[in-house]
């Protein structure tokens, strides 16, 4: 995963950190970035590990889809689900994902963060969905993930107006789970991943599957997952360790 032009990837045994890396274009998501993020997803599907997704040190998470490319896209391009297909793949990654957001997360950049399991941001972050003002809809998650995250009323207000929501409001609305100073962001995200890493990997994977399942799947997914885990050696070892402590 070394030869990327739009990403900088730190690939470790216990986590993969992905930094969006088009600072000149404020990390606007173009086709090359979509392709490279698919490559990262492929690697994380083959060898599941948590992912930390961030925008880098320049104070921008992502300015949305690349408007230079977006302007020329046709109906056939829209039906190829370029961003929504990628974000669904990220949402379905086997292990937990954290979006560590500094500065703006706009349009498709915000939707990219909604596809992650957990969002952390900084005091100078803001979120917005300006798509309708550009004559399109927010087609890659904001019309269904944002209402699930913050409620329908606030989601629709943001989608209809394009208003930029600041970090403190995002925290109150439950869109992010913490707001920190910019210089503390990556440490906070790394510490959270370290904490998550104390859980049994298969329990984490199945917990994520259960939470991501649709309403009709409950509690069947949980029953099947629990049945698998109840017979696992890891569960027995962890519980024995607790009882013998
Ligand atoms: N697509 C393509 N290029 C983008 C972009 C986008 N979504 N967002 C920013 N850029 C480019 C600008 O065109 C500019 O390029 P140039 O230097 O070649 O002229 C460069 O990135 C810097 O942008 P600038 O607006 O000067 O940076 P800023 O730091 O003042 O503001 C933002 C940053 C993110 C607040 C601002 O760029 C912005 O609002 N971007 C558009 C967001 C948007 O509408 N996204 C929705 C897409 S669906």
């Amino acid at each position: 995963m070394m030869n990327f032009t739009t990403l900088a990837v730190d690939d470790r045994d216990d986590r993969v950190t992905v930094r969006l890396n088009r600072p000149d274009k404020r990390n606007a998501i173009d086709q090359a970035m979509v392709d490279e993020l698919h490559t990262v997803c492929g690697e994380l599907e083959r060898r599941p590990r948590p992912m930390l997704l961030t925008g880098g040190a320049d104070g921008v998470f992502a300015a949305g889809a690349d408007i230079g490319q977006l302007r020329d896209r046709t109906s056939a391009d829209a039906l190829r689900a370029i961003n929504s297909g990628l974000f669904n793949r990220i949402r379905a990654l086997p292990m937990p994902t954290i979006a560590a957001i500094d500065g703006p997360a706009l349009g498709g950049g915000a939707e990219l963060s909604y596809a992650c399991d957990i969002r952390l941001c900084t005091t100078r972050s803001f979120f917005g969905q300006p798509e309708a003002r550009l004559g399109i809809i927010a087609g890659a998650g904001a019309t269904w993930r944002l209402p699930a995250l913050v409620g329908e009323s606030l989601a629709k207000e943001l989608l209809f107006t394009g208003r930029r929501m600041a970090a403190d409001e995002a925290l109150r609305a439950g869109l992010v789970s913490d707001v920190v100073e910019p210089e503390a962001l990556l440490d906070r995200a790394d510490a959270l991943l370290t904490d998550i890493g104390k859980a049994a990997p298969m329990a984490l994977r199945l917990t994520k599957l259960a939470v991501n399942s649709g309403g009709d799947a409950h509690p069947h997914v949980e029953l099947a997952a629990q049945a698998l885990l109840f017979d696992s050696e890891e569960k027995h070892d962890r519980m024995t360790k607790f009882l013998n402590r």
Side-chain angles (χ1 to χ4, degrees), residues 24-26 28 63-67 70 104 106-107 130-131 134 164:
D24 294 351
K25 295 292 175 189
R26 303 298 184 266
D66 189 300
I67 297 171
L70 211 50
L106 296 172
E131 286 89 341
L134 291 166
R164 294 173 170 186

Side-chain angles (χ1 to χ4, degrees), residues 30-94:
D30 65 352
Q31 186 64 54
M33 190 183 281
V34 169
D35 293 343
E36 292 182 356
L37 285 168
H38 273 297
T39 301
V40 172
C41 287
E43 182 60 25
L44 290 172
E45 289 158 0
R46 268 189 298 281
R47 201 177 143 217
R49 279 157 297 158
M51 176 174 76
L52 198 174
L53 179 65
T54 191
D58 53 342
V60 178
F61 181 71
D66 189 300
I67 297 171
Q69 293 190 352
L70 211 50
R71 191 181 55 177
D72 294 332
R73 285 189 184 153
T74 62
S75 55
D77 295 320
L79 291 172
R80 280 165 52 217
I82 297 169
N83 283 0
S84 61
L86 171 67
F87 299 169
N88 282 352
R89 193 172 180 186
I90 289 173
R91 164 103 176 142
L93 284 173

Side-chain angles (χ1 to χ4, degrees), residues 172-188:
R172 280 200 307 280
L175 183 61
V176 299
S177 55
D178 201 4
V179 180
V180 298
E181 292 301 327
E183 56 277 12
L185 180 65
L186 288 184
D187 284 349
R188 174 77 180 87

Side-chain angles (χ1 to χ4, degrees), residues 48 50 94-96 193-208 226 229 232-239:
M95 292 291 271
L193 280 183
T194 299
D195 219 25
I196 289 171
K198 291 174 186 159
M202 193 53 77
L204 282 176
R205 289 182 63 173
L206 293 174
T207 298
K208 178 165 170 172
Q226 201 70 299
L229 293 170
S232 70
E233 209 171 302
E234 176 134 35
K235 165 244 190 183
H236 194 268
D237 291 350
R238 283 176 177 250
M239 293 195 179

Side-chain angles (χ1 to χ4, degrees), residues 104-168:
L106 296 172
E111 291 176 308
L112 173 59
S113 80
Y114 308 157
C116 293
D117 297 315
I118 298 171
R119 280 155 298 284
L120 306 171
C121 78
T122 73
T123 46
R124 61 184 178 184
S125 293
F126 53 89
F127 296 82
Q129 302 296 159
E131 286 89 341
R133 297 214 172 181
L134 291 166
I136 58 173
I137 73 163
T143 59
W144 70 95
R145 293 200 178 105
L146 190 58
L149 288 165
V150 306
E152 188 173 314
S153 180
L154 178 57
K156 282 180 173 165
E157 186 218 312
L158 294 168
L159 285 160
F160 293 161
T161 64
R163 177 169 72 83
R164 294 173 170 186
M165 178 166 69
D168 55 343

